[in-house]
Amino acid sequence: MSLRPWRDIVRRKSRQIMVGNVPVGGDAPVTVQTMTNTPTSDAKATIDQIRRCEDAGVDIIRVSCPDVESTAALKQIVRAVRVPIVADIHFHYKRALEAADAGAACLRINPGNIGSADRVQEVINAAKANGCSMRIGVNAGSLERDLLEKYGEPCPEALVESAMDHIKILQDHDFHEFKVAVKASDQFLAVAAYQQLAEMVDCPLHLGITEAGGFVSGTVKSAIGIGSLLWFGIGDTIRVSLSAEPEDEVRVGFEILKALGIRNRGVRVVSCPSCARQGFDVIRTVQKLEERLQHIRTPMSLSVLGCVVNGPGEARETDIGITGGGNGTHMVYLSGVTDHHVQDADMVDHIVKLVEAKAAEIDAAEAAQQIAAE
């Protein structure tokens, strides 16, 4: 039993597949995905956007391949970026063949939607020949007509049946390197569908609340839906779908994982909502710190509280803490212990320097441990 068992999450056992060089499922870390929104045929714009997502920490990137110009550009895109590329294919099986040959690490395709058994076999052969995995992507907004007629509306049973139909096609062709999503914009529907599917299959599950909305509303819906499933132990890779920039989706995805203690990257900020007791402008300070600390990848914690009511208690639990005091003078905590004071004018710059120094210290210690282990 762990020291804090109320934080424990027992993860569903799934088999592991590879998306390029990134493992998904099994005991691999839960990965964070996003999707580009530039025209894929514009290789430069797409590469630039992917690099911004890489800076934000993305593990896997999906690009849409609706036409031959897109798959032609894919080869250049794959060579220019560090993360594996998923080619998003709908209906046109030739785009899947082209994408596999161009170096896509994974094909997002529903085998039941691409035509005859011969076409399905061609796509599977191309995937096997090029080492591609696949993602079956069921969506409540595009369910098959026969399932809508059978169930009357999108429901968990309909999404799961659609997924199982597509899974059977791949398994009948002896293809097992796949993951599955059963997404809906209704988080209740999506959560129920994923829970049902998780009981029926051992493949990795790709989580998402599709068309979740704008940055604020979509983040809330995604945190509830994706977060609930992860808390249940369900999910091997996630994509937060927002009407926002892809790099923002990545940041929200990592924040969901950090909040659950599943995966840590960068600075976890603990901050108060502020009130009349605050000794400094907490809201603006946190905004500045979050912006200036985006480059930190080392997992660590920072508390920013405006007064001494909860400030000292929170600071004891974080790597670095700042608690508001009187007359523009504030207390700085290092490793949970009071250390020194800082003035208003210098506070943000000072905290940034402390965080950067702490990150360097942690990185150096980890590097020394690795050398010693070798």
Side-chain angles (χ1 to χ4, degrees):
M1 183 178 290
S2 68
L3 183 63
R4 297 180 178 89
W6 59 88
R7 292 183 180 176
D8 292 348
I9 293 175
V10 179
R11 190 170 170 189
R12 161 184 171 268
K13 287 182 169 61
S14 63
R15 56 188 170 81
Q16 189 173 101
I17 68 169
M18 298 298 295
V19 178
N21 61 353
V22 175
V24 175
D27 59 358
V30 176
T31 51
V32 176
Q33 304 194 26
T34 188
M35 186 173 183
T36 58
N37 55 27
T38 53
T40 307
S41 55
D42 186 341
K44 183 181 183 307
T46 303
I47 291 166
D48 288 346
Q49 189 171 73
I50 292 173
R51 286 177 176 162
R52 291 194 295 275
C53 294
E54 288 176 334
D55 289 341
V58 77
D59 298 300
I60 299 168
I61 288 270
R62 180 156 48 112
V63 302
S64 182
C65 293
D67 48 44
V68 68
E69 291 79 14
S70 297
T71 51
L74 195 60
K75 185 176 292 187
Q76 180 183 349
I77 294 167
V78 168
R79 286 199 304 262
V81 301
R82 300 190 301 271
V83 295
I85 299 295
V86 179
D88 192 82
I89 311 293
H90 286 277
F91 306 115
H92 300 292
Y93 84 104
K94 287 187 177 180
R95 302 293 84 79
L97 305 180
E98 294 159 3
D101 289 340
C106 180
L107 304 175
R108 189 276 193 192
I109 190 167
N110 288 348
N113 295 343
I114 58 174
S116 67
D118 288 342
R119 289 183 176 181
V120 173
Q121 186 65 64
E122 278 192 71
V123 172
I124 291 173
N125 290 345
K128 288 181 176 180
N130 291 280
C132 292
S133 55
M134 290 193 194
R135 173 163 82 88
I136 293 170
V138 175
N139 193 302
S142 55
L143 274 173
E144 294 88 339
R145 183 177 299 174
D146 63 315
L147 292 176
L148 287 175
E149 291 175 354
K150 176 179 178 179
Y151 290 100
E153 64 175 0
C155 62
E157 293 75 17
L159 268 67
V160 171
E161 184 170 333
S162 176
M164 296 302 293
D165 288 344
H166 293 301
I167 287 170
K168 186 176 186 302
I169 293 171
L170 293 184
Q171 292 177 331
D172 287 347
H173 287 80
D174 195 30
F175 190 87
H176 306 282
E177 293 295 303
F178 60 85
K179 51 193 172 78
V180 182
V182 281
K183 296 185 179 184
S185 58
D186 178 340
Q187 67 268 27
F188 296 99
L189 172 55
V191 168
Y194 277 110
Q195 288 175 316
Q196 287 187 23
L197 187 63
E199 295 290 328
M200 301 172 67
V201 297
D202 69 346
C203 60
L205 296 182
H206 170 122
L207 304 187
I209 305 300
T210 194
E211 291 108 27
F215 185 78
V216 174
S217 60
T219 293
V220 172
K221 285 179 67 175
S222 296
I224 293 169
I226 296 173
S228 297
L229 288 164
L230 291 170
W231 204 336
F232 297 146
I234 296 170
D236 302 286
T237 185
I238 67 172
R239 189 262 171 117
V240 177
S241 299
L242 303 175
S243 299
E245 294 303 325
E247 53 266 42
D248 289 330
E249 293 187 348
V250 176
R251 295 185 184 104
V252 172
F254 270 104
E255 289 300 323
I256 292 171
L257 296 180
K258 283 161 65 176
L260 290 166
I262 291 173
R263 193 168 168 195
N264 290 306
R265 180 188 189 277
V267 182
R268 177 175 63 86
V269 177
V270 177
S271 61
C272 68
S274 79
C275 70
R277 286 188 297 267
Q278 64 182 356
F280 59 88
D281 188 337
V282 173
I283 293 173
R284 249 58 64 183
T285 299
V286 170
Q287 288 173 343
K288 291 174 184 176
L289 286 170
E290 287 185 332
E291 181 178 345
R292 291 185 56 181
L293 295 174
Q294 286 184 13
H295 65 292
I296 301 293
R297 300 187 179 189
T298 308
M300 58 186 301
S301 53
L302 168 67
S303 60
V304 183
L305 282 92
C307 76
V308 296
V309 173
N310 292 323
E314 293 291 355
R316 282 196 295 269
E317 303 297 325
T318 53
D319 294 303
I320 297 170
I322 180 80
T323 295
N327 301 317
T329 301
H330 316 297
M331 178 59 74
V332 176
Y333 297 73
L334 300 181
S335 300
V337 179
T338 56
D339 191 271
H340 60 275
H341 291 90
V342 66
Q343 301 298 311
D344 260 338
D346 307 318
M347 184 170 58
V348 171
D349 289 340
H350 184 67
I351 295 299
V352 169
K353 288 178 182 177
L354 288 175
V355 170
E356 290 174 338
K358 183 66 176 180
E361 176 189 327
I362 294 171
D363 292 344
E366 290 180 353
Q369 287 181 342
Q370 289 178 353
I371 292 171
E374 294 171 358

